[in-house]
Amino acid sequence: MNATVKLVPVQAAYDDLLNRSLSKISCDLARLIYLASTRDYNTGTYHHDGLAARFRPDVAGKALEIAHRQIFYQLSAYSLEELLAQLQTYLDCSHESAADVLRTWQKLEPYRIAIPVEVNPAVARLFLSNVRLALAIWRFRQEQAPKHP
Amino acid sequence: MIGIPTALLLGSILLLLLLFVAMRGSGNARKLSSGSDLPLLDDQAALDPCPPEFVARIFSSEDWKFVAKAKSPQLENLFRRERKLVALLWVHQTSTAIRRIMREHTQATRQSHDLHFATETKLVLLYAELMLLCGMLFLAIQSAGPQRVRGLAVYADALSQRLAQAQLDFQTVTVGPKLHSAGSS
């Protein structure tokens, strides 16, 4: 009985998160970064004021955690070509210069902190590896592309 | 024609050799994957299992074909290095999980009075086959690259799941009734 009472609000919070926030984000890569940004660096818990107000903070946190893991596994299963398309969409939607973002991503590798806790290490390594490769391919393509005055 | 004792001796030597390769392979995989940028796995820790579709993805040639289209030796080298590390990490993770399952099984058998010789033999053989496969995978990934051993990796993954399931079934049969009787007493 208790389990049912607890599970239903998490599902409702998850659906709410999906419909109100995640569906408005342009691509899975941006969704992953958004969800990772709702996680506290020190405690590893997730916070979302709107969701916590509609449900409870712990329920909102659980829904965010589930969504984070789900989007991470989804993105990690993409082929390099698909991930490159995700990166392209992310860069197109970003208000920063694509070259600057890429340079920062290659130097600082901020996408490393986008990995949820307790995911399979081989999948986590595959994700890091694929992002690194996608960045290298994107950069290579930019270097090969004819320069316009 | 060789006699039975000679055949047995040769078989034993071959088995020992293969087990040595398997152990060495696993050890080296551990060493190599420690160069990877994620924390090494603790033998005791239960892992979130690697979903089968990811095994196929790690060892798939689709990404290699995509990278090769760019005709850049630099990108090709980066891809080979990166994918090799991921594949070796997976081998290490799989062999760690297999060892943990067998350790748990050994502990469970000590408390069980209803052991079946045939089932136990099957499990030990499955374990030996898996360890051997891990050793072979390690060598093959190092020499030929992950894309050439996709079939073997998928097979090893399916076998490791069978081993995990067999141990789970064993636990359900042996520990389950104990819990039930403890609950009813």
Side-chain angles (χ1 to χ4, degrees):
Chain A
M1 184 64 189
N2 262 347
T4 322
V5 170
K6 273 182 186 171
L7 274 177
V8 173
V10 173
Q11 181 64 51
Y14 175 83
D15 292 342
D16 188 89
L17 174 70
L18 216 64
N19 296 329
R20 283 180 196 252
S21 309
L22 297 183
S23 63
K24 294 186 177 77
I25 299 174
S26 59
C27 63
D28 283 345
L29 184 59
R31 284 183 195 108
L32 179 81
I33 289 163
Y34 168 74
L35 287 166
S37 75
T38 65
R39 183 176 54 182
D40 188 299
Y41 289 134
N42 298 321
T43 60
T45 52
Y46 294 79
H47 301 280
H48 187 293
D49 288 341
L51 205 60
R54 279 190 295 280
F55 299 89
R56 283 199 325 257
D58 59 328
V59 171
K62 195 70 201 160
L64 286 160
E65 187 186 338
I66 293 169
H68 189 195
R69 279 170 71 90
Q70 209 160 45
I71 211 82
F72 169 78
Y73 274 112
Q74 204 169 307
L75 203 56
S76 302
Y78 281 164
S79 69
L80 264 181
E81 194 170 5
E82 289 165 332
L83 187 64
L84 200 64
Q86 288 282 321
L87 186 66
Q88 188 67 59
T89 312
Y90 179 79
L91 292 171
D92 289 345
C93 296
S94 137
H95 301 296
E96 311 296 329
S97 131
D100 287 347
V101 174
L102 280 166
R103 206 170 23 250
T104 311
W105 275 39
Q106 282 197 308
K107 268 189 184 172
L108 301 178
E109 300 193 333
Y111 48 87
R112 292 168 64 98
I113 52 161
I115 300 174
V117 283
E118 285 170 19
V119 286
N120 184 278
V123 179
R125 186 61 179 77
L126 177 70
F127 169 77
L128 288 181
S129 178
N130 279 351
V131 175
R132 236 172 249 163
L133 282 161
L135 290 171
I137 295 168
W138 198 91
R139 192 172 186 163
F140 173 78
R141 285 185 177 176
Q142 291 305 108
E143 284 166 3
Q144 297 296 305
K147 301 272 187 296
H148 297 292
Chain B
M1 278 292 279
I2 55 168
I4 292 172
T6 321
L8 277 175
L9 183 72
L10 283 175
S12 307
I13 291 171
L14 192 66
L15 190 68
L16 282 174
L17 197 71
L18 288 174
L19 280 175
F20 173 72
V21 168
M23 297 301 281
R24 195 166 171 263
S26 177
N28 283 338
R30 186 185 171 84
K31 221 182 286 171
L32 268 167
S33 60
S34 68
S36 145
D37 38 12
L38 283 167
L40 257 183
L41 315 167
D42 179 0
D43 275 14
Q44 308 292 328
L47 287 174
D48 186 22
C50 187
E53 63 267 29
F54 285 98
V55 182
R57 160 87 23 232
I58 292 167
F59 292 87
S60 151
S61 59
E62 186 191 347
D63 288 342
W64 166 246
K65 284 176 191 158
F66 177 68
V67 170
K69 271 191 215 161
K71 293 190 171 65
S72 158
Q74 238 178 331
L75 281 181
E76 288 175 11
N77 284 340
L78 179 67
F79 178 82
R80 278 196 209 99
R81 195 175 62 230
E82 286 288 330
R83 211 34 82 83
K84 197 182 271 190
L85 274 172
V86 179
L88 288 172
L89 180 67
W90 177 80
V91 174
H92 170 62
Q93 184 181 289
T94 305
S95 64
T96 304
I98 295 162
R99 280 199 301 270
R100 188 177 47 80
I101 290 167
M102 278 313 276
R103 204 170 36 242
E104 282 172 11
H105 181 72
T106 312
Q107 280 166 1
T109 51
R110 282 189 197 129
Q111 292 160 6
S112 172
H113 302 290
D114 187 26
L115 291 178
H116 296 277
F117 179 73
T119 315
E120 291 307 305
T121 312
K122 260 190 219 167
L123 270 177
V124 170
L125 286 176
L126 192 58
Y127 172 69
E129 186 183 357
L130 270 166
M131 290 309 285
L132 185 66
L133 279 174
C134 285
M136 279 163 62
L137 274 169
F138 170 77
L139 293 177
I141 290 165
Q142 288 282 74
S143 54
Q147 288 76 46
R148 302 263 171 91
V149 291
R150 185 174 185 255
L152 199 63
V154 170
Y155 177 64
D157 186 51
L159 273 192
S160 69
Q161 280 169 28
R162 246 179 65 192
L163 183 76
Q165 190 55 51
Q167 158 62 6
L168 204 68
D169 292 346
F170 179 84
Q171 264 187 333
T172 314
V173 170
T174 54
V175 182
K178 275 182 196 168
L179 284 176
H180 182 71
S181 59
S184 59
S185 63

